[in-house]
Amino acid sequence: MKTSELRQKFLKFFESKGHTIVRSSSLVPHDDPTLLFTNAGMNQFKDVFLGFDKRPYTRATTAQKCVRAGGKHNDLENVGYTARHHTFFEMMGNFSFGDYFKRDAIHFAWEFLTSPEWLNIPKEKLLATVYAEDDEAYNIWLNEIGMPAERIVRIGDNKGAKYASDNFWQMGDTGPCGPCSEIFYDHGEEIWGGIPGSPEEDGDRWIEIWNCVFMQFNRDEQGNMNPLPKPSVDTGMGLERMAAVMQHVHSNYEIDLFQDLLKAVARETGAPFSMDEPSLKVVADHIRSCSFLIADGVMPSNEGRGYVLRRIIRRAVRHGYKLGQKQAFFYKLVPDLVKAMGDAYPELKEKQTQIMEALRAEESRFGETLEKGMGLFNQVLNGMKFLKLESLLPKDGAGKPLALKTADGVEFTAASRAAPGKKQIVIRPQVSGSLNEGMYIDLQAALETAHIPDAEKPFAEALNAYLMDNIANSKLVIGGEHIFKLYDTYGFPYDLTADMARELGIDLDEDGFNREMEAQRARARAAQNFKANSQLEYTGADTEFTGYEKRSQDTKIIALYKGSEAVDELQAGEAGVVVLEQTPFYAESGGQVGDVGFIFAGENRFRVEDTQKIKAAVHGQFGAVVSGRLKVGDAVSAEIDNDIRDSIMRNHSVTHLMHKALRDVLGTHVEQKGSLQNAELTRFDISHPQGISAEEIAEVERRVNAAIIANVPVKVETMSIEDAQKSGAMMLFGEKYGDFVRVITMGEYSTELCGGTHVARTGDIGFFKIISEGGIAAGIRRVEAITGLAALVWAQNQESLMKNIIAEVKAQTEKDVLAKIQANAANTKALEKELAKAKAELAVHAGAKLLDNAKDLGAAKLVAAQIEADAAALREIVTDLTGKSDNAVILLAAVNDGKVSLCAGVSKTLTGKVKAGDLVKFAAEQVGGKGGGRPDLAQAGGTDAAKLPEMLGSVEGWVGRKLV
């Protein structure tokens, strides 16, 4: 049975039992700050179970997409290395909201699993668990289902406290809770493992495939279990696990869905297909979670959900790199995923292009640093291996050498010896029963076996094998500063570095990394100035908001706060918060900032500097008493600042028009990702994979201004959510709407759900102008625009600026400005070219004198000096000098803007002994850099100019040794 068929069968079965099929909710939980991602089928019904939400049905069934990667529920590090861990999985569920309970839930599960009409799983392959004290569930299994007693396992409080059990579910310390009954499948005695509750329960023989949660009690703060008036049921069946059962395989990665994806990964990476290759499984798993997250509006970023997505993408790319694929490949797997799952989840088809573009952009971005980051990781690893190997090798002649054997069976001994400027290994192969004359291998080269002669390679490989065995046994640790540098400089998330280290049997200094992270956060906090209001404890009545119709309101003070403390009175000069019975002040919401203004009580005056919601339906006016005093119970007059409110409304209303225009011009993939509307501007963040062109911006401006000129009425209606959907009103990603919503319609130009304040007609907005556009995160663009008088002032400033430019470049009119600027730029470029040529000629002339003062080493004349020149001039001088002599070795250095430039040159008759690439590498390493090049000419850079004199002084000895 294919996975797609199994999914459909489950839903059809429960539909036949009176359940409503409910579409999977988004992977981004709306209005639930406790969850990073949707990770269970019941998440979307949480408010229903708690009694805060009511649905038109009491029975539901779903195929819910879930992600576990980040936060408390995180399976990321195990993915690819076990049979059943995934970042993305599907949870099939059936739910009862005060309808049926244990009996029906258990009977439904048993019928679906064992009935010939449905899955027809042999009954003897199944086992049930119940909570130890749940006799009701036990008796249903025993007496009604007919499960043998020996296959009904009671699980008690196995987690150290009352009700702390694998078979007792709790939403939190208080609230709904109840016992569970789980169903396990036996994969066969050839698989190691025991039944639940046994010492061998962690084995893979008995696998949980179904869980019935019986929400039976409400736990109060004293720990009392009070029966719920309407007990409910939440059950879950892991689709991938059940597919493995139905397809008679052991690992989830062996099911049809994953087999197709694994083959696609092998195709795109060029790696051979093998079920023993964890990296293939990692990539196949990760393309699912990444694609579904992007489809649900998450984009790669450096915080929150976006950072988890970035971690998953980069882990997949790194495993592709490990499989041998150095080019972008991950995004090419999306069509294969759409083919496999697009029918069940049409959002994959609808957003395929957007998903691919987001993945390709992130993959390319990480690809730029991946190789460098891998280089740093290997550099750190080789440094650790160097020290470890050095500690394992006895000194030649001072102790018993190591006795080892190559892969071909050649026995040899190994010891260390010090040579000038390096460490060597003395290798003495044993041939015909005696040790032959030794060979000398550079210790560092022994760790990089690809770069040593073939004759030495078998011995180096044997040394490496011995070294890695010792590393695995002694647990080397990568320091926190190196892990942090990989994270901070090369974009390697901690768990990606941990993944690489684990493959080599190396530990990470997690505490050290956390210290580095905290130090970075402290630096960021020190550089940031912000204020945060304390949470106010308020238990009074809700605020009646009158600000849609009124700009002022006679009302009464019902609460006052000074700091976070409730007070009866605020006096002149004191800052605080005022809560009113009715208020015209709009509280910040939906991107629109809170109103400002004044609250009057006779001669007493309170300046409102901001309005925020201190509870869902309670507005708090934040500010200070300007004169007199305010008391709880005072009758007051609340008046908003009309000019500021008008400016905010213009900017909010135009945002609706701009949103529609952006979707019309750029495409329907554009979704709102954030917004701000204040008196100065509107700031609008959208999903879009690339910069918005000047032509596209102009077209958006044209469309918005056309809607403004049309001066259509702005119609405000309150209607049911169903009617709003039928009207075609745009519903924003991430918003959770109630049963009744406020719909804002601006003629044919825009229809959106919105709770903000708006102009009466579009003509009230005035002139509209986009003033900036740029990227703020991968796949996210920010557009800033202005309206009304602010737009007029901007236009006047632009006109003034243009007049100043015309005068500065001595143009006649605006049309001549560009030609004048281009002519000036061309003239400047020509002068710079002439200047550079003159400098180079002067430098060559000065360099010629260096050869006259060269150090005579017999076989060569050496010039090692620091001069004043740029990198290009250095190259010309070195080329000139080596061309004038048939036995010159040249190393020239220069410092520009604190950075070291090096250039080495060797006359071609000497390159057999001295190579310019080796010389510049030797020099660069001493000044904090690296480089290389041809045997006769090579360049490098460095960062430590202070070490130049010492480095230049060491060159003579290095060249002298090469000439011997």
Side-chain angles (χ1 to χ4, degrees), residues 2-5 7 88 90 239 255-262 264 284 287-288 292 333-346 348-349 352:
K2 290 195 170 187
T3 306
S4 57
E5 183 184 352
R7 183 192 299 113
F88 175 92
E90 292 179 78
L239 180 66
I255 67 175
D256 61 316
L257 189 155
F258 269 111
Q259 286 291 293
D260 292 340
L261 290 177
L262 287 165
I287 192 61
R288 299 209 305 166
F292 274 99
L333 301 173
V334 175
D336 296 279
L337 178 65
V338 171
K339 182 179 179 181
M341 302 185 72
D343 289 339
Y345 297 99
L348 286 177
K349 287 183 179 178
Q352 178 175 336

Side-chain angles (χ1 to χ4, degrees), residues 53-54 116 162 190 242 287 313 343 367 376 386 407 487 492 551 567-568 609 616 624 647 684 699 740 777 817 837 853:
D53 186 15
K54 187 171 178 62
K162 183 65 175 174
E190 66 276 8
M242 187 60 78
I287 192 61
I313 295 173
D343 289 339
L376 175 61
F386 183 97
Y487 162 80
F492 278 45
R551 300 292 183 97
V567 294
D568 294 326
E609 299 168 350
S647 295
F684 197 60
E699 178 60 19
F740 289 89
V817 169
K837 183 179 178 182
N853 298 318

Side-chain angles (χ1 to χ4, degrees), residues 377-388 444 447:
F377 180 84
N378 290 328
Q379 181 182 335
V380 172
L381 176 63
N382 284 338
M384 295 166 60
K385 288 166 66 176
F386 183 97
L387 294 174
K388 183 66 177 177
Q444 186 65 49
L447 298 171

Side-chain angles (χ1 to χ4, degrees), residues 392-536:
L392 293 172
L393 289 168
K395 291 183 180 179
D396 191 31
K400 185 178 180 182
L402 285 179
L404 300 172
K405 185 184 294 186
T406 69
D408 295 333
V410 177
E411 295 180 353
F412 67 97
T413 63
S416 67
R417 74 186 283 266
K422 60 183 174 181
K423 298 286 180 69
Q424 290 183 324
I425 306 173
V426 184
I427 301 293
R428 293 187 174 91
Q430 183 173 323
V431 180
S432 302
S434 61
L435 292 174
N436 285 11
E437 183 61 32
M439 63 176 70
Y440 300 97
I441 302 177
D442 181 90
L443 194 149
Q444 186 65 49
L447 298 171
E448 303 169 2
T449 55
H451 304 294
I452 65 173
D454 290 343
E456 299 172 1
K457 189 170 290 188
F459 304 103
E461 289 173 347
L463 279 165
N464 268 279
Y466 174 75
L467 172 64
M468 295 311 294
D469 286 343
N470 272 273
I471 287 175
N473 293 329
S474 59
K475 284 293 181 187
L476 292 183
V477 179
I478 297 179
E481 70 278 8
H482 297 305
I483 309 168
F484 178 76
K485 186 173 183 181
L486 281 167
Y487 162 80
D488 193 47
T489 305
Y490 299 107
F492 278 45
Y494 176 87
D495 46 18
L496 192 153
T497 304
D499 216 26
M500 296 188 295
R502 179 171 64 171
E503 293 167 2
L504 298 168
I506 296 172
D507 285 346
L508 298 185
D509 176 14
E510 185 172 2
D511 290 340
F513 171 75
N514 289 334
R515 283 194 297 272
E516 295 284 347
M517 285 293 292
E518 183 53 41
Q520 184 192 55
R521 294 188 191 106
R523 291 191 293 271
R525 286 193 295 268
Q528 184 182 31
N529 182 22
F530 66 93
K531 70 173 185 177
N533 291 308
S534 300
Q535 182 67 39
L536 302 179

Side-chain angles (χ1 to χ4, degrees), residues 909-921:
T909 56
L910 289 176
T911 54
K913 292 185 175 181
V914 183
K915 291 180 171 53
D918 293 342
L919 173 55
V920 86
K921 181 180 179 183

Side-chain angles (χ1 to χ4, degrees), residues 232-446:
S232 299
V233 173
D234 158 23
T235 76
M237 180 197 86
L239 180 66
E240 293 84 359
R241 289 189 177 199
M242 187 60 78
V245 170
M246 297 307 297
Q247 294 174 24
H248 309 293
V249 295
H250 177 61
S251 166
N252 290 358
Y253 290 98
E254 296 177 83
I255 67 175
D256 61 316
L257 189 155
F258 269 111
Q259 286 291 293
D260 292 340
L261 290 177
L262 287 165
K263 289 171 184 173
V265 177
R267 179 194 72 222
E268 294 300 336
T269 60
F273 178 83
S274 170
M275 289 302 296
D276 296 325
E277 176 50 71
S279 291
L280 288 177
K281 299 174 186 176
V282 168
V283 179
D285 170 273
H286 289 6
I287 192 61
R288 299 209 305 166
S289 55
C290 293
S291 298
F292 274 99
L293 284 171
I294 295 169
D296 279 350
V298 181
M299 297 299 286
S301 69
N302 282 331
E303 58 186 18
R305 297 182 177 103
Y307 182 59
V308 176
L309 172 60
R310 172 162 284 170
R311 287 165 53 198
I312 302 172
I313 295 173
R314 294 188 172 189
R315 188 171 188 258
V317 173
R318 204 282 295 187
H319 277 275
Y321 188 94
K322 188 181 174 190
L323 290 169
Q325 179 54 275
K326 304 299 190 291
Q327 304 300 317
F329 76 97
F330 193 47
Y331 76 96
K332 297 178 182 178
L333 301 173
V334 175
D336 296 279
L337 178 65
V338 171
K339 182 179 179 181
M341 302 185 72
D343 289 339
Y345 297 99
E347 62 266 33
L348 286 177
K349 287 183 179 178
E350 294 166 6
K351 299 189 177 181
Q352 178 175 336
T353 301
Q354 183 181 348
I355 294 167
M356 292 181 71
E357 288 176 349
L359 289 177
R360 177 163 50 187
E362 179 65 16
E363 191 172 4
S364 299
R365 185 176 293 107
F366 185 46
E368 294 169 3
T369 60
L370 174 61
E371 193 154 357
K372 294 178 182 176
M374 293 295 294
L376 175 61
F377 180 84
N378 290 328
Q379 181 182 335
V380 172
L381 176 63
N382 284 338
M384 295 166 60
K385 288 166 66 176
F386 183 97
L387 294 174
K388 183 66 177 177
L389 184 56
E390 187 179 25
S391 71
L392 293 172
L393 289 168
K395 291 183 180 179
D396 191 31
K400 185 178 180 182
L402 285 179
L404 300 172
K405 185 184 294 186
T406 69
D408 295 333
V410 177
E411 295 180 353
F412 67 97
T413 63
S416 67
R417 74 186 283 266
K422 60 183 174 181
K423 298 286 180 69
Q424 290 183 324
I425 306 173
V426 184
I427 301 293
R428 293 187 174 91
Q430 183 173 323
V431 180
S432 302
S434 61
L435 292 174
N436 285 11
E437 183 61 32
M439 63 176 70
Y440 300 97
I441 302 177
D442 181 90
L443 194 149
Q444 186 65 49

